Amino acid sequence: MPHIAVIGAGITGVTTAYALLERGYTVTVVDRQRYAAMETSFANGGQLSASNAEVWNHWSTLLKGIKWMLRSDAPLLMNPRPTWHKYAWLAEFVSNIANYRDNTVETTRLAIAARKHLFAIAERENIDFDHVRRGILHFYWDRPSFQHALKVNAMLVEGGLDRRPVTAEEVKSIEPTLNGDFHGGFYTPSDSTGDIHKFTFGLAKACERRGARFVFDANVERIARDGVFCIGYTTSGADGQPDYRVVEADGIVICAGSASRHFAAMLGDRVNVYPVKGYSITVHLDDERSQVAAPWVSLLDDRAKIVTSRLGAGRFRVAGTAEFNGMNRDIRDDRVRPLVDWTRMLFPDVDTNRVVPWAGLRPMMPNMMPKVGKGRQSGVFYNTGHGHLGWTLSAATAQMVAETVSGEFRTDAALAA
């Protein structure tokens, strides 16, 4: 069987490796970190959320972005400093507003399909990832936002999702710990949450057991083709000096998150991924009072654009915000502080004495749809650009790209015969 190299050991890279292994391929995964799932797949919001499948290509998103531009604590923040990549990406984003409805429905269908694959993998490989299946509750503070949500809900239902409106009283009954005066909400019982890092790390170990090779601490500097693909990378040698090495493969799948644009250019492709930074805090529930006061049902606050997940008895994840600031990975206090303040306001009995902040770069395509499929060259494939839904969609897109790989190599084998 052909040897396939996967660039990237985040959730999309590792699920892709697993899907290829299931089909009998020899697989090598290359990543610049020392372990799997150390970047955007480390501490996201935790939601496996078909209910959050609405794409962002809408005029209201642009208007809010302009309104919030001067607020450091805004849910969406854009650095106004001009860069060609950012403004070219935004122009494409606007051009895809016409596809808002179709892409939202398609994303919903993809998210529902992904669940089945992910749950089956976790059971088959015995991966514990703090999975909580209590649904996701979206709540709204005012009538206008709830009315917009009704329109969104129609698209999600068209995509096959079981999601229903609930009254303010039902919001409180679904999650009694929630403190606030709400207009209403929507509840999706089939959605769930889990620790993306624990799942991806556990799946990487399962891939190793199935024969995959992982090359970590590898900074890929060159991808060339001389009969086979030659992936040149540097790593630290025994003497501490850079050591240049090469991985050879018959095919290559780019699953490198926000770095995918860089690697695609090496291969003659344009993959217009932009890094949209998101933040999270992990609140450690060190006392019984906090454990009782923190919610188990996963939440999405539409006004603040904040999501939550309960990760076992002792951790509460709160995540949100979108920051357009290039490949900047800095964790800013003025972006973390609103997450802490929101937690204190809605869950006043949760102790925020021990809070761990984090930031990651979501790889977003301008149409908010993942890039899955072939590149220009034979043997080149992509599974990247999932934006805020990488955890939600990855198990389905991994199957899609693995099928594309198989289709191409079957064709090549038939032609050779």
Side-chain angles (χ1 to χ4, degrees), residues 360-389:
L361 301 178
R362 308 181 188 100
M364 288 193 172
M365 296 291 289
N367 63 354
M368 303 296 293
M369 302 295 288
K371 170 69 174 175
V372 185
K374 297 181 181 181
R376 291 184 181 179
Q377 296 186 55
S378 63
V380 175
F381 308 90
Y382 295 92
N383 184 20
T384 191
H386 296 66
H388 66 298
L389 293 175

mmCIF file of all heavy atoms in Angstrom, residues 360-389:
data_model
loop_
_atom_site.group_PDB
_atom_site.id
_atom_site.type_symbol
_atom_site.label_atom_id
_atom_site.label_comp_id
_atom_site.label_asym_id
_atom_site.label_seq_id
_atom_site.Cartn_x
_atom_site.Cartn_y
_atom_site.Cartn_z
ATOM 1 N N GLY A 360 -5.775 30.071 20.897
ATOM 2 C CA GLY A 360 -5.419 29.254 19.734
ATOM 3 C C GLY A 360 -5.907 29.907 18.462
ATOM 4 O O GLY A 360 -6.838 30.727 18.476
ATOM 5 N N LEU A 361 -5.293 29.551 17.349
ATOM 6 C CA LEU A 361 -5.606 30.156 16.056
ATOM 7 C C LEU A 361 -6.509 29.233 15.244
ATOM 8 O O LEU A 361 -6.076 28.195 14.748
ATOM 9 C CB LEU A 361 -4.318 30.441 15.284
ATOM 10 C CG LEU A 361 -3.322 31.374 15.982
ATOM 11 C CD1 LEU A 361 -2.063 31.537 15.144
ATOM 12 C CD2 LEU A 361 -3.960 32.732 16.276
ATOM 13 N N ARG A 362 -7.766 29.609 15.112
ATOM 14 C CA ARG A 362 -8.703 28.832 14.303
ATOM 15 C C ARG A 362 -8.387 29.044 12.815
ATOM 16 O O ARG A 362 -8.335 30.187 12.356
ATOM 17 C CB ARG A 362 -10.138 29.275 14.551
ATOM 18 C CG ARG A 362 -10.598 29.325 15.994
ATOM 19 C CD ARG A 362 -12.055 29.775 15.979
ATOM 20 N NE ARG A 362 -12.591 30.049 17.302
ATOM 21 C CZ ARG A 362 -12.718 31.270 17.823
ATOM 22 N NH1 ARG A 362 -12.292 32.324 17.137
ATOM 23 N NH2 ARG A 362 -13.261 31.438 19.009
ATOM 24 N N PRO A 363 -8.221 27.985 12.044
ATOM 25 C CA PRO A 363 -7.932 28.152 10.612
ATOM 26 C C PRO A 363 -9.221 28.290 9.807
ATOM 27 O O PRO A 363 -9.949 27.322 9.607
ATOM 28 C CB PRO A 363 -7.203 26.850 10.263
ATOM 29 C CG PRO A 363 -7.780 25.839 11.210
ATOM 30 C CD PRO A 363 -8.162 26.573 12.464
ATOM 31 N N MET A 364 -9.509 29.498 9.335
ATOM 32 C CA MET A 364 -10.790 29.757 8.679
ATOM 33 C C MET A 364 -10.623 30.055 7.194
ATOM 34 O O MET A 364 -9.788 30.863 6.802
ATOM 35 C CB MET A 364 -11.500 30.933 9.341
ATOM 36 C CG MET A 364 -12.058 30.608 10.715
ATOM 37 S SD MET A 364 -13.192 31.880 11.300
ATOM 38 C CE MET A 364 -13.825 31.094 12.789
ATOM 39 N N MET A 365 -11.454 29.409 6.393
ATOM 40 C CA MET A 365 -11.584 29.743 4.979
ATOM 41 C C MET A 365 -12.616 30.868 4.831
ATOM 42 O O MET A 365 -13.516 31.008 5.663
ATOM 43 C CB MET A 365 -12.029 28.514 4.187
ATOM 44 C CG MET A 365 -11.029 27.363 4.179
ATOM 45 S SD MET A 365 -9.537 27.749 3.219
ATOM 46 C CE MET A 365 -10.214 27.734 1.548
ATOM 47 N N PRO A 366 -12.543 31.671 3.773
ATOM 48 C CA PRO A 366 -13.476 32.789 3.625
ATOM 49 C C PRO A 366 -14.937 32.379 3.509
ATOM 50 O O PRO A 366 -15.821 33.150 3.881
ATOM 51 C CB PRO A 366 -13.000 33.490 2.346
ATOM 52 C CG PRO A 366 -11.601 33.042 2.138
ATOM 53 C CD PRO A 366 -11.516 31.669 2.715
ATOM 54 N N ASN A 367 -15.205 31.182 3.010
ATOM 55 C CA ASN A 367 -16.595 30.721 2.910
ATOM 56 C C ASN A 367 -17.027 29.920 4.125
ATOM 57 O O ASN A 367 -18.137 29.389 4.162
ATOM 58 C CB ASN A 367 -16.792 29.893 1.637
ATOM 59 C CG ASN A 367 -15.961 28.618 1.619
ATOM 60 O OD1 ASN A 367 -15.141 28.382 2.512
ATOM 61 N ND2 ASN A 367 -16.161 27.800 0.602
ATOM 62 N N MET A 368 -16.135 29.806 5.129
ATOM 63 C CA MET A 368 -16.405 29.104 6.385
ATOM 64 C C MET A 368 -16.626 27.607 6.194
ATOM 65 O O MET A 368 -17.146 26.934 7.075
ATOM 66 C CB MET A 368 -17.626 29.707 7.100
ATOM 67 C CG MET A 368 -17.524 31.189 7.402
ATOM 68 S SD MET A 368 -16.208 31.584 8.567
ATOM 69 C CE MET A 368 -16.832 30.824 10.048
ATOM 70 N N MET A 369 -16.211 27.086 5.056
ATOM 71 C CA MET A 369 -16.314 25.656 4.781
ATOM 72 C C MET A 369 -14.913 25.057 4.760
ATOM 73 O O MET A 369 -13.974 25.680 4.250
ATOM 74 C CB MET A 369 -16.987 25.416 3.427
ATOM 75 C CG MET A 369 -18.381 26.016 3.310
ATOM 76 S SD MET A 369 -19.571 25.258 4.437
ATOM 77 C CE MET A 369 -19.786 23.650 3.664
ATOM 78 N N PRO A 370 -14.727 23.848 5.298
ATOM 79 C CA PRO A 370 -13.389 23.253 5.279
ATOM 80 C C PRO A 370 -12.924 22.946 3.868
ATOM 81 O O PRO A 370 -13.736 22.651 2.981
ATOM 82 C CB PRO A 370 -13.557 21.969 6.100
ATOM 83 C CG PRO A 370 -15.020 21.659 6.027
ATOM 84 C CD PRO A 370 -15.720 22.977 5.949
ATOM 85 N N LYS A 371 -11.622 23.017 3.670
ATOM 86 C CA LYS A 371 -11.001 22.657 2.394
ATOM 87 C C LYS A 371 -10.673 21.170 2.450
ATOM 88 O O LYS A 371 -9.747 20.746 3.160
ATOM 89 C CB LYS A 371 -9.741 23.491 2.174
ATOM 90 C CG LYS A 371 -8.861 23.046 1.006
ATOM 91 C CD LYS A 371 -9.495 23.302 -0.335
ATOM 92 C CE LYS A 371 -8.519 22.974 -1.462
ATOM 93 N NZ LYS A 371 -9.142 23.109 -2.791
ATOM 94 N N VAL A 372 -11.421 20.373 1.721
ATOM 95 C CA VAL A 372 -11.261 18.917 1.754
ATOM 96 C C VAL A 372 -11.193 18.401 0.317
ATOM 97 O O VAL A 372 -12.120 18.627 -0.462
ATOM 98 C CB VAL A 372 -12.433 18.231 2.485
ATOM 99 C CG1 VAL A 372 -12.200 16.733 2.612
ATOM 100 C CG2 VAL A 372 -12.647 18.845 3.861
ATOM 101 N N GLY A 373 -10.083 17.736 -0.015
ATOM 102 C CA GLY A 373 -9.994 17.169 -1.355
ATOM 103 C C GLY A 373 -8.611 17.297 -1.958
ATOM 104 O O GLY A 373 -7.617 17.463 -1.255
ATOM 105 N N LYS A 374 -8.562 17.233 -3.288
ATOM 106 C CA LYS A 374 -7.294 17.180 -4.014
ATOM 107 C C LYS A 374 -6.679 18.558 -4.205
ATOM 108 O O LYS A 374 -7.376 19.572 -4.266
ATOM 109 C CB LYS A 374 -7.519 16.564 -5.400
ATOM 110 C CG LYS A 374 -7.999 15.141 -5.411
ATOM 111 C CD LYS A 374 -8.153 14.664 -6.857
ATOM 112 C CE LYS A 374 -8.655 13.238 -6.926
ATOM 113 N NZ LYS A 374 -8.774 12.765 -8.335
ATOM 114 N N GLY A 375 -5.343 18.558 -4.347
ATOM 115 C CA GLY A 375 -4.623 19.721 -4.803
ATOM 116 C C GLY A 375 -4.401 19.630 -6.302
ATOM 117 O O GLY A 375 -4.913 18.738 -6.985
ATOM 118 N N ARG A 376 -3.601 20.556 -6.837
ATOM 119 C CA ARG A 376 -3.328 20.550 -8.278
ATOM 120 C C ARG A 376 -2.494 19.346 -8.700
ATOM 121 O O ARG A 376 -2.725 18.761 -9.744
ATOM 122 C CB ARG A 376 -2.599 21.835 -8.667
ATOM 123 C CG ARG A 376 -3.456 23.085 -8.579
ATOM 124 C CD ARG A 376 -2.679 24.302 -9.073
ATOM 125 N NE ARG A 376 -3.476 25.516 -8.966
ATOM 126 C CZ ARG A 376 -3.032 26.720 -9.312
ATOM 127 N NH1 ARG A 376 -1.790 26.863 -9.778
ATOM 128 N NH2 ARG A 376 -3.804 27.781 -9.188
ATOM 129 N N GLN A 377 -1.509 19.029 -7.891
ATOM 130 C CA GLN A 377 -0.650 17.890 -8.211
ATOM 131 C C GLN A 377 -1.318 16.588 -7.796
ATOM 132 O O GLN A 377 -2.030 16.533 -6.789
ATOM 133 C CB GLN A 377 0.684 17.985 -7.470
ATOM 134 C CG GLN A 377 1.570 19.142 -7.824
ATOM 135 C CD GLN A 377 2.908 19.007 -7.112
ATOM 136 O OE1 GLN A 377 3.593 17.987 -7.227
ATOM 137 N NE2 GLN A 377 3.287 20.031 -6.359
ATOM 138 N N SER A 378 -1.062 15.533 -8.541
ATOM 139 C CA SER A 378 -1.514 14.221 -8.099
ATOM 140 C C SER A 378 -0.777 13.862 -6.810
ATOM 141 O O SER A 378 0.394 14.203 -6.629
ATOM 142 C CB SER A 378 -1.232 13.163 -9.170
ATOM 143 O OG SER A 378 0.158 13.041 -9.388
ATOM 144 N N GLY A 379 -1.473 13.225 -5.903
ATOM 145 C CA GLY A 379 -0.870 12.827 -4.635
ATOM 146 C C GLY A 379 -0.913 13.881 -3.551
ATOM 147 O O GLY A 379 -0.441 13.642 -2.437
ATOM 148 N N VAL A 380 -1.494 15.059 -3.856
ATOM 149 C CA VAL A 380 -1.595 16.138 -2.863
ATOM 150 C C VAL A 380 -3.059 16.292 -2.454
ATOM 151 O O VAL A 380 -3.947 16.389 -3.316
ATOM 152 C CB VAL A 380 -1.068 17.475 -3.421
ATOM 153 C CG1 VAL A 380 -1.304 18.601 -2.418
ATOM 154 C CG2 VAL A 380 0.408 17.364 -3.757
ATOM 155 N N PHE A 381 -3.296 16.343 -1.145
ATOM 156 C CA PHE A 381 -4.662 16.414 -0.621
ATOM 157 C C PHE A 381 -4.703 17.386 0.557
ATOM 158 O O PHE A 381 -3.687 17.654 1.197
ATOM 159 C CB PHE A 381 -5.138 15.030 -0.167
ATOM 160 C CG PHE A 381 -4.962 13.967 -1.202
ATOM 161 C CD1 PHE A 381 -3.778 13.231 -1.270
ATOM 162 C CD2 PHE A 381 -5.956 13.706 -2.131
ATOM 163 C CE1 PHE A 381 -3.592 12.252 -2.228
ATOM 164 C CE2 PHE A 381 -5.782 12.732 -3.100
ATOM 165 C CZ PHE A 381 -4.599 12.004 -3.157
ATOM 166 N N TYR A 382 -5.915 17.874 0.852
ATOM 167 C CA TYR A 382 -6.103 18.833 1.941
ATOM 168 C C TYR A 382 -7.282 18.425 2.831
ATOM 169 O O TYR A 382 -8.307 17.944 2.342
ATOM 170 C CB TYR A 382 -6.362 20.241 1.378
ATOM 171 C CG TYR A 382 -5.182 20.801 0.635
ATOM 172 C CD1 TYR A 382 -5.051 20.618 -0.739
ATOM 173 C CD2 TYR A 382 -4.168 21.473 1.310
ATOM 174 C CE1 TYR A 382 -3.956 21.100 -1.423
ATOM 175 C CE2 TYR A 382 -3.057 21.960 0.633
ATOM 176 C CZ TYR A 382 -2.954 21.760 -0.732
ATOM 177 O OH TYR A 382 -1.857 22.239 -1.408
ATOM 178 N N ASN A 383 -7.103 18.637 4.129
ATOM 179 C CA ASN A 383 -8.177 18.525 5.107
ATOM 180 C C ASN A 383 -7.898 19.587 6.155
ATOM 181 O O ASN A 383 -7.247 19.341 7.167
ATOM 182 C CB ASN A 383 -8.219 17.129 5.727
ATOM 183 C CG ASN A 383 -9.399 16.960 6.679
ATOM 184 O OD1 ASN A 383 -10.369 17.707 6.614
ATOM 185 N ND2 ASN A 383 -9.323 15.981 7.562
ATOM 186 N N THR A 384 -8.377 20.790 5.895
ATOM 187 C CA THR A 384 -7.986 21.933 6.720
ATOM 188 C C THR A 384 -9.033 23.040 6.599
ATOM 189 O O THR A 384 -10.007 22.919 5.858
ATOM 190 C CB THR A 384 -6.594 22.436 6.302
ATOM 191 O OG1 THR A 384 -6.122 23.382 7.265
ATOM 192 C CG2 THR A 384 -6.608 23.066 4.905
ATOM 193 N N GLY A 385 -8.843 24.115 7.367
ATOM 194 C CA GLY A 385 -9.715 25.275 7.256
ATOM 195 C C GLY A 385 -11.076 25.109 7.901
ATOM 196 O O GLY A 385 -12.065 25.702 7.457
ATOM 197 N N HIS A 386 -11.161 24.359 8.989
ATOM 198 C CA HIS A 386 -12.451 24.079 9.633
ATOM 199 C C HIS A 386 -12.945 25.213 10.535
ATOM 200 O O HIS A 386 -14.052 25.137 11.070
ATOM 201 C CB HIS A 386 -12.353 22.801 10.471
ATOM 202 C CG HIS A 386 -12.086 21.568 9.678
ATOM 203 N ND1 HIS A 386 -10.909 21.362 8.998
ATOM 204 C CD2 HIS A 386 -12.844 20.452 9.453
ATOM 205 C CE1 HIS A 386 -10.949 20.180 8.395
ATOM 206 N NE2 HIS A 386 -12.108 19.612 8.659
ATOM 207 N N GLY A 387 -12.129 26.225 10.758
ATOM 208 C CA GLY A 387 -12.551 27.347 11.582
ATOM 209 C C GLY A 387 -12.896 26.946 12.995
ATOM 210 O O GLY A 387 -12.164 26.218 13.652
ATOM 211 N N HIS A 388 -14.055 27.425 13.478
ATOM 212 C CA HIS A 388 -14.469 27.159 14.858
ATOM 213 C C HIS A 388 -15.102 25.784 15.015
ATOM 214 O O HIS A 388 -15.526 25.431 16.125
ATOM 215 C CB HIS A 388 -15.446 28.245 15.328
ATOM 216 C CG HIS A 388 -16.758 28.252 14.612
ATOM 217 N ND1 HIS A 388 -16.863 28.475 13.253
ATOM 218 C CD2 HIS A 388 -18.038 28.051 15.052
ATOM 219 C CE1 HIS A 388 -18.125 28.427 12.899
ATOM 220 N NE2 HIS A 388 -18.863 28.167 13.962
ATOM 221 N N LEU A 389 -15.146 24.980 13.935
ATOM 222 C CA LEU A 389 -15.830 23.683 14.010
ATOM 223 C C LEU A 389 -14.904 22.500 13.717
ATOM 224 O O LEU A 389 -15.370 21.433 13.295
ATOM 225 C CB LEU A 389 -17.020 23.668 13.032
ATOM 226 C CG LEU A 389 -18.180 24.612 13.380
ATOM 227 C CD1 LEU A 389 -19.226 24.588 12.281
ATOM 228 C CD2 LEU A 389 -18.801 24.253 14.721
#
